[in-house]
Amino acid sequence: MSAVLTAAPSPHSGLAHVLASWRSMTLAELGWFSLMGLLYGLIDLSSLAYIDDHPQWWLALTRQLFSPAIVTLLLMLFWLPAARSDPDHPLRAWRLGLATLVGSMLALLVLWGLVRVLDWPSVNELMRQRKGETKQMPVLWSRFVGDGLSAFIPCGLTVALFEMLERRGRAQARLQRLLHEQSVMARQAMAARLAAMQAQVEPQFLFETLVDIEQAYDRADPEAAAQMERLIRHLRVALPRLREAGGSLESEAELLDSYLAVVAGRSKAAVSFNAQWPESLNGCALPPMLLLPLLQRALRLADGLPGRCTLAAEALPRGGLRLLLAFDKPGLCGDDEELRALAERVRALSGGPARLICRSSEDATLFTLELNP
C-alpha cells in the first residue's frame, strides 16, 4: 500500500502568485479594461444635456466618466490572479466569475467612499435638485444590491469578452503548434524514407554495375580496374550519407559527380561534370537526396548520355537558395505530374516554400530549384 502526499499551497505561495500576476499585467490588458470602463461611462452621457446649466454639472460629468473606469481598474487587481491560473483548469470559469464578483463589489465600496470624500453629485441628484425634489436615501442593502448589479454585469461582460478572445488566441496558437509538429514529423518521415532508399544504394544499379565489372575482368578489359575504382568512390561518397540527416552543396555535388562517373563508365561515354557557386555558399545545408533523383530521372529520359552536366547555386534576395542543374540535351523535362511529385517531395524535405521548374530549349535542359526559408 502506498500513498502520495501533496503539500497544500501555503499562504506565501498564494501571495507570491498574486504579486507575480500583478507584475505580469500587460499594456494590452490595461488598455482593454480602461477602454471598456470609458465606454460604459459614455453610455448615459447624453443625460448631461438636461443639467448643462447647473453649476456642478462638471462634477457630475467627472463622476459619470471616471466611476466605471475606477471600477474596472480595481477589478483588474482581482481578475489578474484568476486569469494567470491554469488556462485548462476545469474550474477556471468559476475562478473568473468569483474574482469578478468579489472585485466588482469591493470596487463599488471603494467608489462609494471616493464619491463621498470628493462630493461628486450624480446626474440624478442634480436633476432632482432642478425639479425641487428632496433627496431620498434608499435602504442601504437595496442600494448596495442595485449598485452591485449595475457594477457586476458590465464587469462580467468585460471579463467574459476578454476571456473569449484569449481562448481564441490560445486555440490558434495550439493549432499552429500542432501544424508545426505535423510538418516536422512529415519531414522526419520523408527523411527516414530517403534514408531507407539510401541504405539500398540502388541494388539493381549496384548489381548491374558489378556484373559489368565482372564481365570486363573476364574479357581482360583494361577499363575494368578504373570502373571498379569509380564504383568504390561512389560507394564511399554515398554510404556515409546513411548516417547523416542532411547534406551540403559540396557533398551533393560529389554524389552527383561519382554517380555520373559510374554511369558514364558503364556506357563507355565521356560525361563532364562541373559545379560552381560563390564561396559564401560553401557548407550551405541541403536536405538529403535532393538532386540525385533529378539526375536519375534526366538520365532515364535522355536518348543517350548527356555530354555535359553543370550544377550552380546562388543566394536568393531574402535568404533562400537557388540551385541550377543543367544538361546539354533537350527534352528531359518529361511528365508534369512526375515533376509535381518531385516538387512536393522537395517542399516536404525543406520545410518551407519551394519551387521546381524545368525548361527545355533546342540543345539543353535546365532544372531550377528554389528553396525559400
Side-chain angles (χ1 to χ4, degrees):
M1 180 177 180
S2 61
V4 178
L5 300 179
T6 57
S10 64
H12 296 288
S13 63
L15 180 60
H17 172 72
V18 171
L19 295 177
S21 65
W22 288 350
R23 287 193 298 266
S24 67
M25 180 181 61
T26 64
L27 290 177
E29 293 168 343
L30 179 61
W32 170 264
F33 280 84
S34 301
L35 177 62
M36 294 304 294
L38 181 61
L39 290 177
Y40 288 133
L42 293 174
I43 290 177
D44 294 332
L45 197 62
S46 60
S47 59
L48 290 171
Y50 298 101
I51 57 170
D52 56 352
D53 57 348
H54 196 284
Q56 290 185 312
W57 74 270
W58 64 275
L59 291 176
L61 173 63
T62 303
R63 178 174 176 175
Q64 180 72 21
L65 291 178
F66 283 94
S67 294
I70 292 172
V71 171
T72 52
L73 291 178
L74 291 175
L75 169 67
M76 288 191 66
L77 300 179
F78 295 86
W79 169 79
L80 280 169
R84 294 298 187 267
S85 61
D86 184 5
D88 298 322
H89 197 280
L91 298 180
R92 178 176 175 84
W94 289 95
R95 291 176 176 176
L96 291 172
L98 181 60
T100 303
L101 178 62
V102 175
S104 58
M105 294 300 105
L106 292 180
L108 178 61
L109 294 176
V110 173
L111 181 62
W112 277 4
L114 186 63
V115 168
R116 185 172 182 179
V117 170
L118 298 178
D119 194 20
W120 283 349
S122 65
V123 176
N124 291 333
E125 291 173 354
L126 295 184
M127 291 180 66
R128 291 194 190 97
Q129 289 181 13
R130 165 167 289 188
K131 295 178 181 179
E133 298 177 358
T134 59
K135 184 177 180 181
Q136 296 181 355
M137 294 296 297
V139 181
L140 183 61
W141 69 267
S142 63
R143 180 189 174 193
F144 181 78
V145 171
D147 290 353
L149 288 176
S150 63
F152 173 70
I153 293 176
C155 289
L157 292 176
T158 301
V159 170
L161 183 57
F162 192 85
E163 178 67 12
M164 182 183 67
L165 296 176
E166 286 290 300
R167 288 189 178 184
R168 171 185 279 184
R170 289 194 296 268
Q172 291 178 347
R174 189 179 294 112
L175 176 61
Q176 291 300 321
R177 286 196 301 271
L178 291 175
L179 291 176
H180 176 70
E181 292 175 0
Q182 181 185 17
S183 176
V184 171
M185 292 175 65
R187 291 200 301 272
Q188 291 175 347
M190 180 67 72
R193 289 196 296 269
L194 289 176
M197 292 171 55
Q198 287 177 323
Q200 298 173 12
V201 195
E202 294 189 52
Q204 185 68 24
F205 170 77
L206 180 60
F207 175 76
E208 292 176 355
T209 304
L210 288 173
V211 170
D212 288 346
I213 294 174
E214 182 182 10
Q215 293 176 353
Y217 273 108
D218 292 340
R219 296 192 309 268
D221 190 337
E223 289 293 322
Q227 180 68 349
M228 177 63 75
E229 288 295 328
R230 285 190 287 266
L231 178 61
I232 293 174
R233 174 175 173 256
H234 175 64
L235 293 176
R236 285 175 176 172
V237 172
L239 290 177
R241 294 169 63 87
L242 302 179
R243 300 184 296 270
E244 300 174 357
S248 63
L249 271 174
E250 292 85 351
S251 63
E252 199 75 10
E254 190 177 11
L255 181 63
L256 297 184
D257 186 24
S258 65
Y259 185 86
L260 269 176
V262 174
V263 174
R266 289 180 55 190
S267 302
K268 306 295 184 179
V271 180
S272 66
F273 177 78
N274 182 40
Q276 57 184 1
W277 52 76
E279 291 185 3
S280 58
L281 295 180
N282 287 337
C284 182
L286 289 178
M289 293 286 287
L290 190 64
L291 295 177
L292 187 58
L294 284 177
L295 174 62
Q296 293 169 338
R297 179 177 178 276
L299 295 180
R300 188 175 69 250
L301 295 177
D303 183 14
L305 290 180
R308 185 175 65 258
C309 174
T310 59
L311 173 65
E314 56 188 32
L316 293 177
R318 297 185 179 181
L321 184 68
R322 178 183 290 121
L323 301 175
L324 305 170
L325 185 63
F327 303 91
D328 62 346
K329 269 189 174 295
L332 303 184
C333 291
D335 186 13
D336 291 340
E337 287 296 331
E338 190 175 0
L339 276 180
R340 277 194 288 269
L342 284 173
E344 287 296 329
R345 189 176 68 85
V346 169
R347 277 191 287 270
L349 283 174
S350 62
R355 287 201 311 163
L356 176 60
I357 305 171
C358 182
R359 294 186 177 91
S360 181
S361 61
E362 294 181 358
D363 56 356
T365 301
L366 175 64
F367 291 93
T368 303
L369 181 60
E370 294 183 354
L371 305 176
N372 294 294

